[in-house]
Amino acid sequence: MKTKDEMPACPVATTVSLIGSKWKLLILRNLMARPWRFNELRKDLDGISQKVLTDSLRSMEEDGLITRTVYAEVPPRVEYALSELGESMRPIIKSMEEFGNAYKKNLASE
């Protein structure tokens, strides 16, 4: 996790620095439903490269938004899930979903 001094002074900028990329938002959206494995995420997020997914997951784990659980199996199984901090972002993602639905509905009625 970044220190307080490393974060922007503006709280909106702080949030954007944590989840501001298209892929991080979509990863969070998926993890709101259930834990996901790496390859499941890669297949579901059409257009994401393996490198971008790896970098995004690592960054989100370092920032405390998600957890990574490695199961001692052969072959090893790794699952990603929202952390408690990540769960606290649920209202933000829900609001974005509601806005997107309202926007599309408004476009359809024009």
Short mmCIF file of all heavy atoms in Angstrom, two decimals, residues 53-83:
data_model
loop_
_atom_site.label_atom_id
_atom_site.label_comp_id
_atom_site.label_asym_id
_atom_site.label_seq_id
_atom_site.Cartn_x
_atom_site.Cartn_y
_atom_site.Cartn_z
N LEU A 53 -3.38 -7.59 -17.35
CA LEU A 53 -4.13 -8.24 -16.27
C LEU A 53 -3.21 -8.52 -15.09
O LEU A 53 -3.56 -8.23 -13.95
CB LEU A 53 -4.79 -9.53 -16.77
CG LEU A 53 -5.60 -10.30 -15.73
CD1 LEU A 53 -6.67 -9.45 -15.08
CD2 LEU A 53 -6.21 -11.56 -16.36
N THR A 54 -2.04 -9.06 -15.36
CA THR A 54 -1.08 -9.34 -14.29
C THR A 54 -0.71 -8.07 -13.54
O THR A 54 -0.75 -8.04 -12.30
CB THR A 54 0.20 -10.01 -14.87
OG1 THR A 54 -0.17 -11.25 -15.47
CG2 THR A 54 1.23 -10.25 -13.79
N ASP A 55 -0.36 -7.03 -14.28
CA ASP A 55 0.03 -5.76 -13.65
C ASP A 55 -1.12 -5.16 -12.84
O ASP A 55 -0.91 -4.65 -11.74
CB ASP A 55 0.51 -4.76 -14.70
CG ASP A 55 1.83 -5.15 -15.34
OD1 ASP A 55 2.51 -6.07 -14.83
OD2 ASP A 55 2.18 -4.53 -16.37
N SER A 56 -2.33 -5.22 -13.39
CA SER A 56 -3.49 -4.66 -12.69
C SER A 56 -3.77 -5.42 -11.39
O SER A 56 -4.01 -4.81 -10.35
CB SER A 56 -4.73 -4.70 -13.59
OG SER A 56 -4.55 -3.89 -14.71
N LEU A 57 -3.74 -6.75 -11.47
CA LEU A 57 -3.98 -7.55 -10.27
C LEU A 57 -2.92 -7.30 -9.21
O LEU A 57 -3.23 -7.16 -8.03
CB LEU A 57 -4.05 -9.04 -10.63
CG LEU A 57 -5.29 -9.47 -11.42
CD1 LEU A 57 -5.12 -10.89 -11.95
CD2 LEU A 57 -6.56 -9.35 -10.57
N ARG A 58 -1.66 -7.23 -9.62
CA ARG A 58 -0.58 -6.97 -8.66
C ARG A 58 -0.76 -5.60 -8.00
O ARG A 58 -0.60 -5.46 -6.79
CB ARG A 58 0.77 -7.04 -9.35
CG ARG A 58 1.23 -8.44 -9.62
CD ARG A 58 2.60 -8.47 -10.25
NE ARG A 58 2.99 -9.85 -10.55
CZ ARG A 58 3.87 -10.20 -11.46
NH1 ARG A 58 4.51 -9.27 -12.17
NH2 ARG A 58 4.16 -11.46 -11.66
N SER A 59 -1.07 -4.60 -8.81
CA SER A 59 -1.26 -3.25 -8.29
C SER A 59 -2.43 -3.20 -7.32
O SER A 59 -2.34 -2.59 -6.24
CB SER A 59 -1.50 -2.30 -9.47
OG SER A 59 -1.88 -1.03 -9.02
N MET A 60 -3.53 -3.84 -7.68
CA MET A 60 -4.71 -3.84 -6.82
C MET A 60 -4.46 -4.61 -5.51
O MET A 60 -4.97 -4.22 -4.46
CB MET A 60 -5.90 -4.41 -7.57
CG MET A 60 -6.34 -3.52 -8.72
SD MET A 60 -7.52 -4.30 -9.83
CE MET A 60 -8.98 -4.29 -8.81
N GLU A 61 -3.65 -5.64 -5.60
CA GLU A 61 -3.28 -6.39 -4.39
C GLU A 61 -2.39 -5.52 -3.50
O GLU A 61 -2.60 -5.46 -2.28
CB GLU A 61 -2.58 -7.69 -4.76
CG GLU A 61 -2.27 -8.56 -3.55
CD GLU A 61 -1.56 -9.86 -3.91
OE1 GLU A 61 -1.10 -10.03 -5.06
OE2 GLU A 61 -1.44 -10.71 -3.00
N GLU A 62 -1.41 -4.86 -4.09
CA GLU A 62 -0.52 -3.98 -3.32
C GLU A 62 -1.29 -2.84 -2.66
O GLU A 62 -0.96 -2.42 -1.55
CB GLU A 62 0.57 -3.40 -4.23
CG GLU A 62 1.62 -4.39 -4.63
CD GLU A 62 2.58 -3.84 -5.69
OE1 GLU A 62 2.55 -2.61 -5.96
OE2 GLU A 62 3.35 -4.64 -6.25
N ASP A 63 -2.32 -2.35 -3.34
CA ASP A 63 -3.13 -1.26 -2.79
C ASP A 63 -4.16 -1.74 -1.79
O ASP A 63 -4.87 -0.94 -1.19
CB ASP A 63 -3.84 -0.50 -3.92
CG ASP A 63 -2.87 0.30 -4.79
OD1 ASP A 63 -1.78 0.66 -4.30
OD2 ASP A 63 -3.20 0.55 -5.97
N GLY A 64 -4.27 -3.06 -1.62
CA GLY A 64 -5.18 -3.62 -0.62
C GLY A 64 -6.61 -3.78 -1.07
O GLY A 64 -7.49 -4.04 -0.25
N LEU A 65 -6.86 -3.67 -2.39
CA LEU A 65 -8.22 -3.78 -2.90
C LEU A 65 -8.66 -5.22 -3.10
O LEU A 65 -9.85 -5.53 -3.03
CB LEU A 65 -8.37 -3.02 -4.22
CG LEU A 65 -8.15 -1.52 -4.15
CD1 LEU A 65 -8.19 -0.91 -5.54
CD2 LEU A 65 -9.19 -0.87 -3.25
N ILE A 66 -7.71 -6.09 -3.39
CA ILE A 66 -8.04 -7.50 -3.62
C ILE A 66 -7.09 -8.39 -2.83
O ILE A 66 -6.03 -7.95 -2.38
CB ILE A 66 -7.97 -7.88 -5.12
CG1 ILE A 66 -6.57 -7.75 -5.68
CG2 ILE A 66 -8.96 -7.05 -5.92
CD1 ILE A 66 -6.40 -8.30 -7.09
N THR A 67 -7.51 -9.64 -2.68
CA THR A 67 -6.65 -10.64 -2.06
C THR A 67 -6.33 -11.71 -3.10
O THR A 67 -7.11 -11.96 -4.02
CB THR A 67 -7.33 -11.31 -0.85
OG1 THR A 67 -8.55 -11.94 -1.29
CG2 THR A 67 -7.63 -10.30 0.24
N ARG A 68 -5.19 -12.31 -2.93
CA ARG A 68 -4.74 -13.40 -3.81
C ARG A 68 -4.51 -14.61 -2.92
O ARG A 68 -3.70 -14.57 -2.00
CB ARG A 68 -3.43 -12.99 -4.49
CG ARG A 68 -2.85 -14.02 -5.41
CD ARG A 68 -1.56 -13.45 -6.05
NE ARG A 68 -0.99 -14.36 -7.00
CZ ARG A 68 -0.05 -15.26 -6.72
NH1 ARG A 68 0.44 -15.36 -5.50
NH2 ARG A 68 0.39 -16.07 -7.66
N THR A 69 -5.24 -15.67 -3.20
CA THR A 69 -5.13 -16.89 -2.40
C THR A 69 -4.58 -18.01 -3.27
O THR A 69 -5.13 -18.30 -4.33
CB THR A 69 -6.51 -17.31 -1.83
OG1 THR A 69 -7.06 -16.21 -1.10
CG2 THR A 69 -6.39 -18.52 -0.93
N VAL A 70 -3.47 -18.61 -2.81
CA VAL A 70 -2.85 -19.72 -3.52
C VAL A 70 -3.19 -20.99 -2.77
O VAL A 70 -2.94 -21.10 -1.56
CB VAL A 70 -1.32 -19.55 -3.61
CG1 VAL A 70 -0.69 -20.70 -4.36
CG2 VAL A 70 -0.95 -18.22 -4.25
N TYR A 71 -3.78 -21.95 -3.47
CA TYR A 71 -4.15 -23.23 -2.87
C TYR A 71 -3.06 -24.25 -3.18
O TYR A 71 -2.60 -24.34 -4.32
CB TYR A 71 -5.50 -23.70 -3.41
CG TYR A 71 -6.63 -22.78 -3.00
CD1 TYR A 71 -7.02 -21.73 -3.82
CD2 TYR A 71 -7.28 -22.95 -1.79
CE1 TYR A 71 -8.06 -20.87 -3.45
CE2 TYR A 71 -8.32 -22.11 -1.40
CZ TYR A 71 -8.69 -21.07 -2.23
OH TYR A 71 -9.70 -20.22 -1.86
N ALA A 72 -2.66 -24.99 -2.18
CA ALA A 72 -1.60 -25.99 -2.32
C ALA A 72 -2.15 -27.24 -3.00
O ALA A 72 -2.46 -28.24 -2.37
CB ALA A 72 -1.01 -26.33 -0.96
N GLU A 73 -2.31 -27.14 -4.30
CA GLU A 73 -2.80 -28.24 -5.11
C GLU A 73 -1.86 -28.43 -6.29
O GLU A 73 -1.03 -27.58 -6.56
CB GLU A 73 -4.20 -27.91 -5.65
CG GLU A 73 -5.25 -27.67 -4.60
CD GLU A 73 -6.57 -27.19 -5.18
OE1 GLU A 73 -6.65 -26.95 -6.40
OE2 GLU A 73 -7.54 -27.07 -4.42
N VAL A 74 -2.03 -29.54 -6.96
CA VAL A 74 -1.26 -29.76 -8.19
C VAL A 74 -2.26 -29.91 -9.32
O VAL A 74 -3.07 -30.84 -9.30
CB VAL A 74 -0.37 -31.02 -8.07
CG1 VAL A 74 0.37 -31.27 -9.36
CG2 VAL A 74 0.61 -30.86 -6.92
N PRO A 75 -2.27 -29.02 -10.31
CA PRO A 75 -1.47 -27.79 -10.38
C PRO A 75 -1.99 -26.76 -9.38
O PRO A 75 -3.15 -26.83 -8.96
CB PRO A 75 -1.68 -27.31 -11.82
CG PRO A 75 -3.02 -27.84 -12.20
CD PRO A 75 -3.17 -29.15 -11.46
N PRO A 76 -1.14 -25.79 -9.00
CA PRO A 76 -1.57 -24.78 -8.03
C PRO A 76 -2.77 -23.99 -8.55
O PRO A 76 -2.89 -23.72 -9.74
CB PRO A 76 -0.36 -23.85 -7.91
CG PRO A 76 0.78 -24.62 -8.45
CD PRO A 76 0.22 -25.59 -9.44
N ARG A 77 -3.67 -23.66 -7.65
CA ARG A 77 -4.85 -22.87 -7.99
C ARG A 77 -4.73 -21.54 -7.27
O ARG A 77 -4.43 -21.48 -6.08
CB ARG A 77 -6.11 -23.61 -7.53
CG ARG A 77 -7.40 -22.85 -7.79
CD ARG A 77 -8.63 -23.72 -7.54
NE ARG A 77 -8.65 -24.35 -6.25
CZ ARG A 77 -9.46 -24.02 -5.24
NH1 ARG A 77 -10.33 -23.05 -5.39
NH2 ARG A 77 -9.41 -24.66 -4.11
N VAL A 78 -4.94 -20.46 -8.00
CA VAL A 78 -4.88 -19.11 -7.43
C VAL A 78 -6.20 -18.42 -7.69
O VAL A 78 -6.72 -18.45 -8.80
CB VAL A 78 -3.72 -18.29 -8.07
CG1 VAL A 78 -3.69 -16.88 -7.50
CG2 VAL A 78 -2.39 -18.98 -7.86
N GLU A 79 -6.76 -17.83 -6.65
CA GLU A 79 -8.02 -17.10 -6.78
C GLU A 79 -7.84 -15.67 -6.30
O GLU A 79 -7.12 -15.41 -5.33
CB GLU A 79 -9.14 -17.75 -5.97
CG GLU A 79 -9.69 -19.00 -6.58
CD GLU A 79 -10.90 -19.54 -5.83
OE1 GLU A 79 -11.15 -19.13 -4.68
OE2 GLU A 79 -11.58 -20.40 -6.41
N TYR A 80 -8.53 -14.77 -6.98
CA TYR A 80 -8.54 -13.36 -6.61
C TYR A 80 -9.93 -13.01 -6.12
O TYR A 80 -10.93 -13.43 -6.70
CB TYR A 80 -8.17 -12.49 -7.82
CG TYR A 80 -6.77 -12.76 -8.30
CD1 TYR A 80 -6.51 -13.72 -9.26
CD2 TYR A 80 -5.70 -12.06 -7.76
CE1 TYR A 80 -5.22 -13.98 -9.69
CE2 TYR A 80 -4.39 -12.32 -8.18
CZ TYR A 80 -4.17 -13.28 -9.15
OH TYR A 80 -2.89 -13.54 -9.56
N ALA A 81 -9.98 -12.24 -5.04
CA ALA A 81 -11.26 -11.84 -4.45
C ALA A 81 -11.13 -10.42 -3.92
O ALA A 81 -10.02 -9.92 -3.69
CB ALA A 81 -11.65 -12.79 -3.33
N LEU A 82 -12.27 -9.78 -3.70
CA LEU A 82 -12.24 -8.46 -3.09
C LEU A 82 -11.81 -8.56 -1.64
O LEU A 82 -12.24 -9.48 -0.92
CB LEU A 82 -13.63 -7.81 -3.14
CG LEU A 82 -14.17 -7.38 -4.49
CD1 LEU A 82 -15.56 -6.78 -4.32
CD2 LEU A 82 -13.25 -6.39 -5.16
N SER A 83 -10.98 -7.65 -1.21
CA SER A 83 -10.64 -7.54 0.21
C SER A 83 -11.73 -6.73 0.90
O SER A 83 -12.69 -6.26 0.25
CB SER A 83 -9.30 -6.82 0.36
OG SER A 83 -9.45 -5.47 -0.08
#
